Amino acid sequence: MKSGFIGIIGKPNVGKSSLMNRLIGEKISIVTPKPQTTRDAVRGILTTDEYQMIFVDTPGILTPKTELGKYMSKETDYGSKDVDVLVIVIDGSRRFTDSDYAFIERKLALKIPTFVVVNKTDEAKYERIYPILSKLSPLMTEADGRGAVSEIVPTSCVDGTNIDKLRDLLASRLTDDIMYYPDGDLTDRSLRFVTGEIVREKSLLLLQDEIPHGIGIVVNKFEEKKETVYVEADIVCEKDGHKQIIIGEGGKMIKRIGESSRRGIEERMGKRVFLQLFVKVRPDWRNKHNYLSDLGYNG
């Protein structure tokens, strides 16, 4: 049995969370088309008879503009330090820039075994993927002050292209001889945290584009019994106008969010869920430490 920690980093919306979920075979991190969906470093755990991989899914790399952004940047830094293997994810459907290349070079200076994943090959045609692979190829040779990329792997989380190959490559780099988590654990996060993330995911999927960055979830009550779970949670937003949109005409939107969230929580926990949602306005909460702490962003 070998084990190790694998950090997954990259720009927003390159598919980091989808990649971790696909490698594990379970939905651990929430996934939406909205940028900056992931706000915390979330560990996902894959245990087999031969190895235990602990993946660290991180927020997208960004230039912080709020206190929440600073927190997310710290979470990203955490995900690329004190790990045994680093996976840098690139969106193969986007243009590969000089800054992307420079970022990879900086991470190679850490001398951590590093894999570059060119993701979303189902969206990008060969004509777009091939130039990216060509630009990356010099990084597979060591240079002054940095190591070399261990492997460049084109993947798709939609159709599964090279997911098994990547998993095997990562397993070959594990060196620790202990199990860090009990067999059966899928994440180090509590069910209370997972519940809040599911509510946030469903909210992001249903709400208009201008609102998602300004919402957070506070789980005020989480009572788990043998066959049921009772949850009370606040959807926190920054403006009265956003509150009206979240509630919707005649309460239709908050009802849709609640029904979708309840189904998601039930699917994850295998129990009947009773969920009550409330909407609270906290102006500029992303820049206020007391509000950030209430929402769990206090690392």
Side-chain angles (χ1 to χ4, degrees):
M1 166 68 74
K2 295 293 183 181
S3 63
F5 290 80
I6 301 166
I8 304 177
I9 63 174
K11 287 182 175 179
N13 270 52
V14 295
K16 299 180 298 296
S17 297
S18 296
L19 180 66
M20 182 180 78
N21 292 343
R22 189 80 193 220
L23 285 164
I24 294 175
E26 297 282 350
K27 186 175 180 179
I28 308 300
S29 286
I30 64 172
V31 177
T32 80
K34 308 289 174 67
Q36 301 175 29
T37 295
T38 300
R39 290 176 175 170
D40 300 87
V42 176
R43 290 180 178 177
I45 305 161
L46 172 62
T47 305
T48 71
D49 292 337
E50 299 174 348
Y51 55 76
Q52 183 174 81
M53 296 183 188
I54 303 100
F55 297 97
V56 186
D57 180 27
T58 62
I61 296 160
L62 49 81
T63 301
K65 297 180 180 179
T66 64
E67 290 301 313
L68 174 61
K70 292 178 182 178
Y71 168 84
M72 291 165 64
S73 290
K74 289 179 182 178
E75 291 288 280
T76 300
D77 288 342
Y78 159 75
S80 59
K81 296 177 181 176
D82 298 323
V83 293
D84 303 290
V85 183
L86 198 58
V87 175
I88 300 175
V89 185
I90 294 169
D91 184 344
S93 66
R94 301 181 194 169
R95 188 171 69 89
F96 184 71
T97 66
D98 291 341
S99 65
D100 293 328
Y101 191 95
F103 171 77
I104 297 171
E105 280 198 306
R106 290 196 298 273
K107 292 304 178 182
L108 288 173
L110 298 172
K111 300 294 181 71
I112 299 171
T114 300
F115 292 82
V116 176
V117 168
V118 183
N119 197 28
K120 302 189 181 181
T121 58
D122 55 293
E123 295 181 23
K125 295 182 179 180
Y126 177 78
E127 291 78 8
R128 181 176 285 272
I129 294 291
Y130 181 76
I132 296 176
L133 300 179
S134 297
K135 288 181 180 179
L136 287 169
S137 60
L139 294 174
M140 297 193 71
T141 303
E142 289 192 12
D144 291 341
R146 67 161 175 81
V149 171
S150 300
E151 193 83 34
I152 302 167
V153 186
T155 64
S156 168
C157 297
V158 174
D159 60 27
T161 297
N162 286 333
I163 295 297
D164 291 342
K165 176 184 177 180
L166 176 61
R167 191 187 298 112
D168 291 342
L169 288 169
L170 295 174
S172 71
R173 291 297 186 133
L174 303 178
T175 58
D176 296 350
D177 294 319
I178 63 172
M179 283 183 61
Y180 288 95
Y181 295 94
D183 189 10
D185 281 12
L186 294 175
T187 181
D188 65 334
R189 294 291 186 165
S190 68
L191 290 176
R192 189 187 192 105
F193 173 86
V194 170
T195 294
E197 286 290 270
I198 291 172
V199 175
R200 190 164 66 88
E201 177 188 54
K202 305 309 179 185
S203 300
L204 294 179
L205 290 170
L206 289 169
L207 291 171
Q208 298 177 18
D209 289 342
E210 72 269 19
I211 297 179
H213 291 181
I215 67 165
I217 308 298
V218 179
V219 178
N220 295 308
K221 184 177 289 188
F222 182 88
E223 296 179 351
E224 185 179 11
K225 298 183 180 180
K226 186 176 181 180
E227 296 181 353
T228 60
V229 180
Y230 179 76
V231 179
E232 288 185 7
D234 293 337
I235 300 176
V236 177
C237 61
E238 294 180 306
K239 300 177 181 179
D240 288 327
H242 288 173
K243 178 178 180 178
Q244 296 307 314
I245 294 172
I246 294 168
I247 293 172
E249 184 179 354
K252 289 181 180 179
M253 178 55 72
I254 191 70
K255 183 177 180 181
R256 288 180 65 195
I257 293 171
E259 289 176 347
S260 184
S261 299
R262 178 182 55 76
R263 289 194 298 269
I265 300 166
E266 287 180 339
E267 182 177 336
R268 182 64 182 270
M269 300 186 184
K271 297 182 179 183
R272 189 177 182 187
V273 172
F274 297 91
L275 173 64
Q276 281 194 300
L277 295 178
F278 306 90
V279 184
K280 301 288 179 65
V281 178
R282 298 287 183 266
D284 199 31
W285 68 262
R286 287 179 290 173
N287 279 309
K288 297 182 178 179
H289 290 286
N290 57 330
Y291 290 162
L292 289 169
S293 181
D294 289 343
L295 276 87
Y297 306 123
N298 53 2

